[in-house]
Amino acid sequence: MSVTAPRGFRAAGVVAGLKETGSRDLALVVNDGPSRAAAGVFTRNRVKAAPVLWSEQVLKGGRVHAVVLNSGGANACTGAPGFQDTHATAERVAELLEDSAGEVAVCSTGLIGTRLPMDALLPGVDKAVAELSRGDGGLAAADAIRTTDTVAKISFRHGDGYMIGAMAKGAGMLAPSLATMLCVITTDADLPAASLDRALRAATGVTLERLDADGCMSTNDTVLLMASGASGTVPDEADFTALLTEVCGDLTRQLLVDAEGASKAIAIEVVGAASDFDAVTVGRSIARNNLLKCAIHGEDPNWGRVLSAVGTTEAVFDPDQVNVAINGVWVCRNGSFGDDRDKVDLRPRDVTITVDLSAGPNSATVWTTDLTADYVHENSAYST
Amino acid sequence: MSVTAPRGFRAAGVVAGLKETGSRDLALVVNDGPSRAAAGVFTRNRVKAAPVLWSEQVLKGGRVHAVVLNSGGANACTGAPGFQDTHATAERVAELLEDSAGEVAVCSTGLIGTRLPMDALLPGVDKAVAELSRGDGGLAAADAIRTTDTVAKISFRHGDGYMIGAMAKGAGMLAPSLATMLCVITTDADLPAASLDRALRAATGVTLERLDADGCMSTNDTVLLMASGASGTVPDEADFTALLTEVCGDLTRQLLVDAEGASKAIAIEVVGAASDFDAVTVGRSIARNNLLKCAIHGEDPNWGRVLSAVGTTEAVFDPDQVNVAINGVWVCRNGSFGDDRDKVDLRPRDVTITVDLSAGPNSATVWTTDLTADYVHENSAYST
C-alpha cells in the first residue's frame, strides 16, 4: 500500500545498480491527479545536498507531478556537477512523463561527497517509469529507499472520504550510519498547496521533528506531501492535519525502533514548562546528552545526568523545583534525590523519562535512543 | 611541585575514606599570604553543586585563604542538607586555621545526587591540616583530587620574579565518567583580585573552556586562582596573563590526552572566520558531532560529516567556499571533494581538522576526543 494507498498515485522501486549489494536503490512516485498540489519540509542544515536545493525550488511552485528518490549516494557536497546530475535526473523523469522537470522533485541518500553514477541512475529511471503501478509499486518504492533500515517503513490511514499513505527511510537527526530521513506522503484529498503546507508543518513539528537521537542534522532530510485530489473529497483542514499527524507519528515510531545500534527507545516527556519552546528545548538537551544516553544503555537510572542536561538550557525553571521520573519512579524530587532508584526497572526496550519543570502548563515529548558500542562500531566503519 | 611551587602555599592530600578504593580523596591548599587575592570561574550549568554555590559567594569577596577539595562525591542535587555539608566543611577548615569560613572555598567531584559521608570527611579535614606542607603536599593534593584520571595533572611556570603552579583533575565538558574539571592555580605574584579575575577569564577562555569532548556540562566545574604575593613581585598584567595561559594550555593538553575512553586527541582549527565567536561556534559544533567523532575513531577521513556539522551553525560562510583539511590533506575544497582522501593518515593519536570558512580573518582552536566503544562502556556502567 504505502504511497499508492490513496487513489491517483503510481509507484515503482527498481535496481538501478547504485548499491554494491544489488538491492533496489531507485524509487519513483507519480501523481496522476487531477490535482498536483504539494508541500515539503527540508533539512535546516545550511549545507544542503543538490536534490534538496532542487526540490526546494520545485516546491515553491506548490505542485509536484513526480518524485524520484535514490539510495546509494547523497549527492551532497558535490558542487555544480552534482546539481547538474540532479537536474538531469529530473529531466529524464519529465521526458518520460511528457512533462516539465519543474514539477519533478528529487531525493537522494547515502554517502556525502561523491558523485552519483549517472550511467546507472538514468537507465534506472527508465526502468522505474516502465514498472509504475498501483499494486506492488508502493511497497517496492518503500523498499528501494532503504539504506541501513532493517525494514521498510510504511503507513496509511483512512479519513472521511479520503486516504493518506506514506513511506519513509532512515531518520532525520537520528542514529543510523545514513542519517538522512526521506519521507513521501500521499493523499487523494483535494486541498490546495497552502493548506498542505500548514498541515505538513504542524504534523511534522510534533512528530518527525522531535525525533533526535544524536543531534546530527542531515544534509538531505526531506518530507514531501503530494495530493492528487482523486477522491474528490475536500476535508476539513483541522481533521486532515490530525490524520496526517497520526501518519507522521506512526512513521516516527517506526524510525525510532529501527534506529541502528540502539537498544532502547526513549521518550522524554517534559511537563510543567513555561512554554512549548522550553519543553522542546529541555527535551532536546536531554536527548543529546551522551552521558545520560550511555547510562540508559547500562540500565542505570542516573537522574543526575538528566538534571545536569536541564541545567544547560535557558528554560524557565528553579533547580530546586525540578522533578524527574524514570519509568514512573520519581527518583528526583525538588532537585534532590527522591524515591529509591533501585525501584526503576530499565530492562524493557521502551524507556520513559518524565521531567516536571514546575514552571507552567506546557509540555512536549522528544524521542531518542541510547548510545551504544554498536552505534560507535557502525558509524566508525561506514565509509571504509 | 604543583600548587606549592610558588612561595606562600602549603598543601596536603589525604585518605578520608570517601572512596571505596582507599585512595587519597581529600585535598587542601592553604595560602599563607601576605596577600589572599583570588579569582574563580565556575560551571555555567544552572544546576550547580552545593560547593559551587558556596565558592561563588566566597570568591565575590576576592579573597581565599584556603580551598578544600574532595573526590568521591559531587554533593550536587542534594538540596539544603548538601549545602549545609559544604558549609560545615568550610567551617572545619576555618576553625583549624583560626579564621572565618568566608574565605574558604570548597570543591567536590563524584556522583551526583548522594550526600557526602561527613563522618569521614570532617576527620579527613583534620588530617589534611595536620599534614600541610610545601614539600610533598603539592603532589599529594594533585593525587587526592583524581577520580578516573590515570595520572595526576600538574603544571608550573617561572615568570620574571614570580611563579605560577597548578593542579587539575578530570575535564570540564569532557569524556570521563566523572566529567567535572577541578583546577587550582597558585602564584606568588602580587596582583589584586580584579587583575587575577581578568587574567583567569582570558587564559581559561582560550584553553580549558575550549576543551569539549562530549558537550556535557558538569554541575561542579571550578577553576580557582590564588595569589600569595609572597614573591613581592608585581608583574605586568599582560605578561602574567600570557604565563597563566601557558599553564592553562598545559593542563588542557594533559586533560585531553588522559580523557577516558578516547583513542584520539583531536584539534579542530577553524580559520577564515568572520569573528572569534563564529570560529568557536563552528569548532564546538564539530567537536560535538557524534557521527564525525565515530568516523575519526575508525580512522575514516569522513569530511562530509565535518561539513554537515558546520552547516548546523549560524556562522558566516558560503557552503561553496568551505575548505577542510584532515591531518594536512585538503580533502574538501570549495565545499566539494578535494585531494584524495586516501592520502590522509589517521593512525597517529593526534588528529588535526582544519576548517577554512573563507569568511574573514579570525580563528580559534577547539579540542575534543573521538567517540569510542570504551566511552560507552565506561559511562554506562558508572553508578552501578
Side-chain angles (χ1 to χ4, degrees):
Chain A
M1 298 289 276
S2 119
V3 289
T4 51
R7 281 160 286 181
F9 292 93
R10 288 174 298 152
V14 302
V15 179
L18 309 175
K19 281 180 185 166
E20 283 181 11
T21 57
S23 324
R24 288 187 180 116
D25 48 20
L26 191 132
L28 182 66
V29 182
V30 174
N31 180 357
D32 290 320
S35 170
R36 289 185 186 176
V41 293
F42 299 92
T43 181
R44 278 187 292 269
N45 199 311
R46 290 172 58 201
V47 175
K48 294 179 204 298
V52 169
L53 293 170
W54 171 268
S55 298
E56 280 183 334
Q57 289 306 313
V58 169
L59 267 296
K60 280 186 182 164
R63 288 163 58 92
V64 169
H65 185 183
V67 54
V68 55
L69 311 94
N70 74 272
S71 48
N75 197 6
C77 303
T78 45
F83 191 79
Q84 283 165 8
D85 291 342
T86 290
H87 187 184
T89 305
E91 285 288 358
R92 184 71 152 246
V93 172
E95 189 183 318
L96 295 165
L97 298 180
E98 299 180 348
D99 195 10
S100 139
E103 295 187 3
V104 177
V106 183
C107 300
S108 300
T109 178
L111 189 63
I112 297 175
T114 54
R115 294 277 301 276
L116 290 170
M118 296 303 287
D119 54 344
L121 197 151
L122 293 179
V125 170
D126 302 349
K127 201 168 157 188
V129 171
E131 293 191 13
L132 282 169
S133 76
R134 271 211 74 186
D136 302 329
L139 280 178
D143 182 55
I145 60 174
R146 284 166 59 189
T147 50
T148 51
D149 305 66
T150 64
V151 293
K153 282 102 180 170
I154 62 167
S155 182
F156 60 91
R157 289 287 189 286
H158 288 274
D160 188 4
Y162 67 99
M163 278 193 79
I164 298 176
M167 65 178 186
K169 63 83 39 183
M173 305 177 281
L174 206 85
S177 301
L178 306 176
T180 294
M181 175 186 62
L182 298 182
C183 178
V184 177
I185 309 168
T186 55
T187 181
D188 50 16
D190 189 11
L191 283 168
S195 299
L196 297 176
D197 188 66
R198 279 191 298 269
L200 186 61
R201 287 175 197 283
T204 56
V206 296
T207 54
L208 294 163
E209 291 261 354
R210 292 191 182 169
L211 185 59
D212 189 338
D214 62 6
C216 295
M217 196 189 288
S218 159
T219 50
N220 289 60
D221 282 354
T222 302
V223 183
L224 292 180
L225 171 58
M226 302 157 71
S228 69
S231 70
T233 301
V234 179
D236 173 73
E237 192 177 314
D239 290 346
F240 179 80
T241 302
L243 200 68
L244 185 63
T245 304
E246 270 188 41
V247 169
C248 290
D250 188 12
L251 293 174
T252 301
R253 174 76 194 164
Q254 292 180 49
L255 293 167
L256 178 65
V257 298
D258 195 34
E260 270 197 37
S263 69
K264 302 288 185 190
I266 308 171
I268 300 160
E269 302 174 342
V270 181
V271 303
S275 66
D276 283 355
F277 180 84
D278 273 9
V280 173
T281 300
V282 167
R284 281 198 194 283
S285 80
I286 297 167
R288 292 177 181 180
N289 190 281
N290 280 355
L291 289 173
L292 175 68
K293 290 151 72 84
C294 287
I296 298 297
H297 177 53
E299 304 188 348
D300 166 16
N302 196 325
W303 59 267
R305 293 177 180 173
V306 176
L307 245 69
S308 68
V310 175
T312 64
T313 71
E314 314 253 306
V316 176
F317 73 92
D318 176 339
D320 292 331
Q321 292 187 19
V322 176
N323 307 304
V324 178
I326 302 181
N327 280 354
V329 180
W330 290 93
V331 284
C332 169
R333 291 178 188 275
N334 298 316
S336 184
F337 42 85
D339 296 354
D340 185 359
R341 43 169 285 151
D342 291 341
K343 290 183 184 160
V344 180
D345 182 3
L346 277 171
R347 287 170 301 177
R349 184 180 180 97
D350 279 305
V351 173
T352 302
I353 298 174
T354 310
V355 177
D356 176 6
L357 295 177
S358 304
N362 298 88
S363 64
T365 300
V366 172
W367 296 274
T368 191
T369 57
D370 55 343
L371 182 55
T372 70
D374 284 349
Y375 174 91
V376 174
H377 291 143
E378 287 167 20
N379 287 298
S380 60
Y382 169 46
S383 76
T384 50
Chain B
M1 299 292 276
S2 117
V3 288
T4 50
R7 280 162 285 182
F9 292 94
R10 287 175 298 151
V14 301
V15 179
L18 310 175
K19 281 180 184 167
E20 283 181 11
T21 57
S23 325
R24 288 189 179 112
D25 48 20
L26 191 133
L28 181 66
V29 182
V30 174
N31 179 355
D32 290 320
S35 171
R36 288 185 186 176
V41 294
F42 299 92
T43 181
R44 279 187 292 268
N45 200 311
R46 290 172 59 202
V47 175
K48 294 180 204 297
V52 169
L53 294 170
W54 171 267
S55 298
E56 281 182 334
Q57 290 305 315
V58 170
L59 267 295
K60 280 187 182 163
R63 288 164 58 93
V64 170
H65 185 185
V67 53
V68 55
L69 311 94
N70 75 271
S71 49
N75 197 6
C77 303
T78 46
F83 190 80
Q84 284 165 5
D85 291 341
T86 291
H87 187 183
T89 305
E91 286 288 359
R92 185 69 152 245
V93 172
E95 188 184 317
L96 295 165
L97 298 180
E98 299 180 347
D99 195 10
S100 139
E103 295 188 2
V104 177
V106 182
C107 301
S108 300
T109 178
L111 188 63
I112 296 176
T114 54
R115 293 278 299 278
L116 289 170
M118 296 302 288
D119 54 344
L121 197 151
L122 293 179
V125 169
D126 302 348
K127 201 168 158 187
V129 171
E131 293 191 12
L132 282 169
S133 76
R134 273 211 71 186
D136 302 329
L139 281 178
D143 183 54
I145 59 175
R146 284 167 57 191
T147 49
T148 53
D149 306 66
T150 63
V151 293
K153 283 100 179 172
I154 61 168
S155 182
F156 59 91
R157 289 287 190 286
H158 288 275
D160 188 4
Y162 68 99
M163 278 193 78
I164 298 176
M167 64 178 187
K169 63 82 38 182
M173 304 177 280
L174 207 87
S177 301
L178 307 176
T180 294
M181 176 186 61
L182 298 183
C183 178
V184 177
I185 309 169
T186 55
T187 181
D188 50 17
D190 188 12
L191 283 168
S195 299
L196 297 176
D197 188 66
R198 279 192 297 269
L200 185 61
R201 286 174 198 284
T204 56
V206 295
T207 55
L208 294 162
E209 291 261 353
R210 291 191 183 169
L211 185 59
D212 189 336
D214 62 7
C216 295
M217 197 188 288
S218 159
T219 50
N220 289 59
D221 282 353
T222 302
V223 183
L224 292 181
L225 171 58
M226 301 157 71
S228 69
S231 70
T233 302
V234 180
D236 173 73
E237 192 177 314
D239 290 347
F240 180 80
T241 302
L243 199 68
L244 185 64
T245 305
E246 270 189 41
V247 169
C248 291
D250 187 11
L251 293 173
T252 302
R253 173 76 193 165
Q254 292 179 50
L255 293 167
L256 178 65
V257 298
D258 195 34
E260 269 196 38
S263 69
K264 303 288 184 189
I266 307 172
I268 300 160
E269 302 174 342
V270 181
V271 301
S275 66
D276 282 356
F277 181 83
D278 273 9
V280 173
T281 301
V282 166
R284 281 198 194 283
S285 79
I286 297 167
R288 292 176 180 180
N289 189 281
N290 280 354
L291 289 173
L292 174 68
K293 290 152 70 87
C294 287
I296 297 298
H297 177 54
E299 304 188 347
D300 166 16
N302 196 324
W303 58 267
R305 292 177 180 175
V306 176
L307 245 69
S308 68
V310 175
T312 63
T313 72
E314 313 254 305
V316 177
F317 74 92
D318 176 339
D320 292 331
Q321 291 188 18
V322 176
N323 306 303
V324 178
I326 302 181
N327 280 355
V329 180
W330 290 93
V331 285
C332 169
R333 291 178 189 274
N334 298 316
S336 183
F337 41 84
D339 297 354
D340 185 359
R341 42 170 285 150
D342 291 341
K343 289 183 184 160
V344 179
D345 182 3
L346 277 171
R347 287 170 300 176
R349 184 180 179 97
D350 279 305
V351 173
T352 301
I353 298 174
T354 310
V355 178
D356 176 6
L357 295 176
S358 305
N362 297 88
S363 63
T365 300
V366 171
W367 295 274
T368 191
T369 56
D370 54 344
L371 182 55
T372 70
D374 284 347
Y375 174 91
V376 174
H377 291 142
E378 287 169 21
N379 287 297
S380 61
Y382 169 46
S383 77
T384 49

